[in-house]
């Protein structure tokens, strides 16, 4: 039976309750504890250092949200939904759940009315002034959680594999991923194109946390890292420059700064820049998820989901020209190819 308008609105009004129950469940690692062995609420309270009665209330809410069931012995057992909050499953969303409930992501939404009245998240969001990665510079645990969440969201539709198969990347002997995060995109490209070399470029704290690579493994033997700040300078001389989910995370002035640095570094005549971004005109991206993503970006970091015309104008202002736009199948993103004007 479909829900009534009143039920729908009730779900919208109290949606923050659901968010925070899932956040606490993920933050305390409840799913990992349950998977490790038969546990009761008493045992979980001890393992997580929680107040028994408070935790019991949260766990009862989690049961209603279908994260687990409780057998006749009072032992918790994960459901298919709760399994996704384990740390060690391929489809894990634990880091994403932790991120969405973290103070620096959740609290600014409580200031949404102030944002609407001022038109800016400045002073409301701690990440607005300089961006998420700089804000997390001295918060290594949160930075690791943020990077893991970004990877988990990308893995929902295996974006990296899709992008790796989208183009003949072999025409670019050297590729650098700007703001590479954990490097899974470039690794996917190297696996499918054995004749190219890749470089991961990100801030020092991100590069330092990359897992140790086995240099005897062919893709890893063709992969190097460079640390730096794309607001200051970008490595030059590469055949292709990749940027995934970067431009939408910054206001226009900072986007221009990044893009101009890349344009100045594209010293090879046939060099190309590839942006992997949302498209404001995409039917999926203009639905509920798309408009909420745009609002979230603008509130938290001054970013936005742009149209193709807006990307074209931004590239032009940075000394670049839009060459082509390709839909990335199975995702809400597009690939924008650009060259130096």
């Amino acid at each position: 039976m479909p829900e009534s308008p009143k039920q729908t609105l009730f779900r919208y009004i109290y949606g923050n309750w659901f968010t925070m129950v899932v956040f606490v469940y993920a933050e305390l690692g409840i799913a990992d504890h349950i998977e490790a062995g038969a546990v009761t609420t008493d045992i979980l309270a001890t393992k997580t250092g929680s107040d028994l009665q408070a935790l019991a209330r949260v766990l009862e809410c989690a049961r209603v949200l279908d994260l687990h069931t409780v057998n006749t012995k009072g032992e918790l057992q994960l459901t298919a939904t709760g399994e996704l909050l384990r740390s060690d499953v391929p489809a894990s969303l634990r880091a994403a759940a932790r991120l969405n409930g973290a103070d620096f992501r959740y609290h600014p939404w409580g200031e949404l009315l102030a944002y609407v009245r001022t038109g800016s998240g400045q002073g409301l969001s701690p990440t607005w002034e300089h961006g998420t990665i700089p804000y997390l510079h001295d918060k290594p645990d949160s930075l690791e959680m943020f990077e893991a969440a970004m990877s988990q969201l990308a893995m929902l539709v295996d974006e990296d594999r899709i992008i790796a198969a989208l183009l003949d990347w072999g025409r670019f002997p050297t590729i650098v991923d700007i703001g590479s995060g954990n490097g899974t995109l470039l690794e996917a490209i190297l696996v499918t194109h054995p004749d190219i070399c890749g470089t991961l470029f990100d801030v020092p704290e991100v590069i330092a946390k990359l897992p140790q690579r086995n240099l005897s493994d062919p893709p890893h033997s063709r992969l190097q890292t460079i640390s730096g700040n794309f607001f200051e300078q970008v490595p030059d001389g590469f055949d292709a420059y990749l940027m995934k989910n970067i431009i939408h995370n910054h206001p226009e002035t900072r986007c221009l700064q990044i893009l101009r640095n890349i344009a100045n570094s594209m010293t090879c005549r046939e060099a190309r820049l590839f942006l992997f971004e949302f498209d404001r005109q995409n039917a999926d991206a203009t639905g509920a998820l798309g408009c909420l993503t745009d609002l979230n970006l603008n509130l938290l970091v001054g970013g936005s989901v742009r149209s193709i015309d807006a990307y074209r104008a931004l590239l032009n202002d940075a000394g670049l020209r839009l060459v082509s736009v390709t839909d990335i199948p199975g995702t809400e993103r597009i690939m924008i190819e650009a060259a130096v004007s």
Side-chain angles (χ1 to χ4, degrees):
M1 182 181 217
E3 64 182 11
S4 68
K6 183 179 288 187
Q7 290 171 321
T8 300
L9 191 57
F10 184 92
R11 182 162 50 83
Y12 294 162
I13 291 170
Y14 296 104
N16 63 313
W17 293 359
F18 306 153
T19 297
M20 295 312 292
V21 167
V22 175
F23 164 72
V24 170
Y25 204 91
E27 186 70 17
L28 294 179
I30 298 296
D32 289 346
H33 287 302
I34 295 174
E35 180 61 23
V39 293
T40 62
T41 300
D42 291 19
I43 294 173
L44 283 171
T46 300
K47 286 180 175 291
T48 61
S50 303
D51 177 82
L52 176 59
Q53 296 304 317
L55 180 63
R57 287 186 167 91
V58 170
L59 291 178
E60 176 60 14
C61 293
R63 184 192 64 78
V64 172
L65 294 182
D66 194 35
L67 300 186
H68 63 254
T69 59
V70 182
N71 65 21
T72 55
K73 297 179 182 179
E75 298 167 342
L76 281 67
Q77 299 170 325
L78 292 173
T79 62
T81 303
E83 286 279 342
L84 298 176
L85 292 174
R86 285 173 50 191
S87 301
D88 58 350
V89 294
S92 175
L93 287 173
R94 184 189 175 200
R98 293 178 64 206
L99 175 64
N100 207 41
D103 288 352
F104 70 97
R105 301 278 290 197
Y106 184 78
H107 287 175
W109 276 84
E111 301 291 343
L112 192 61
L113 182 59
Y115 159 83
V116 169
R117 286 177 169 157
T118 63
S120 172
Q122 187 171 20
L124 307 176
S125 165
T127 57
W128 194 94
E129 197 71 44
H130 301 292
T132 301
I133 298 297
Y135 172 75
L136 297 177
H137 172 78
D138 58 350
K139 304 171 183 65
D141 291 343
S142 294
L143 178 60
E144 183 177 0
M145 175 260 291
F146 174 81
E147 293 289 352
M150 295 301 102
S151 296
Q152 288 175 0
L153 295 174
M155 288 174 61
L156 288 176
V157 291
D158 203 358
E159 287 178 357
D160 295 335
R161 181 190 59 79
I162 293 171
I163 291 172
L166 191 62
L167 192 70
D168 177 18
W169 296 104
R171 64 189 245 226
F172 302 107
T174 60
I175 300 178
V176 60
D177 188 350
I178 306 298
S180 57
N182 62 11
T184 55
L185 171 59
L186 192 48
E187 283 190 4
I189 292 174
L190 293 182
V191 167
T192 55
H193 297 80
D195 297 324
I196 62 178
C197 295
T199 298
L200 304 176
F201 178 79
D202 214 317
V203 292
E205 51 268 36
V206 171
I207 294 296
K209 281 190 168 292
L210 290 174
Q212 192 69 32
R213 288 175 163 77
N214 181 5
L215 296 181
S216 64
D217 182 25
H220 293 165
S221 66
R222 293 178 281 118
L223 186 65
Q224 66 172 339
T225 60
I226 299 177
S227 61
N229 187 327
F230 53 45
F231 290 117
E232 298 171 359
Q233 191 174 10
V234 170
D236 61 14
F238 288 87
D239 299 297
Y241 291 74
L242 314 181
M243 279 211 306
K244 180 184 174 188
N245 298 341
I246 301 296
I247 293 301
H248 68 231
N249 277 311
H250 300 280
E252 186 159 331
T253 53
R254 290 206 283 271
C255 289
L256 284 171
Q257 191 175 356
I258 298 168
L259 292 172
R260 284 169 180 158
N261 286 340
I262 292 176
N264 290 335
S265 72
M266 294 169 68
T267 54
C268 298
R269 188 170 63 87
E270 299 300 324
R272 291 291 186 267
L273 165 65
F274 293 91
L275 305 178
F276 306 97
E277 290 286 346
F278 294 110
D279 172 15
R280 187 64 177 251
Q281 295 163 316
N282 182 298
D284 292 329
T286 52
L289 179 60
C291 64
L292 287 168
T293 298
D294 178 63
L295 174 57
N296 185 60
L297 291 169
N298 203 248
L299 169 65
L300 297 181
V301 292
S304 64
V305 175
R306 294 175 171 84
S307 66
I308 293 173
D309 285 341
Y311 286 120
R312 180 181 287 106
L314 189 67
L315 290 166
N316 286 341
D317 288 345
L320 297 159
R321 60 181 173 84
L322 192 151
V323 174
S324 66
V325 177
T326 305
D327 287 331
I328 302 176
T331 78
E332 297 164 359
R333 289 172 171 75
I334 54 174
M335 178 178 73
I336 299 171
E337 179 180 355
V340 176
S341 299

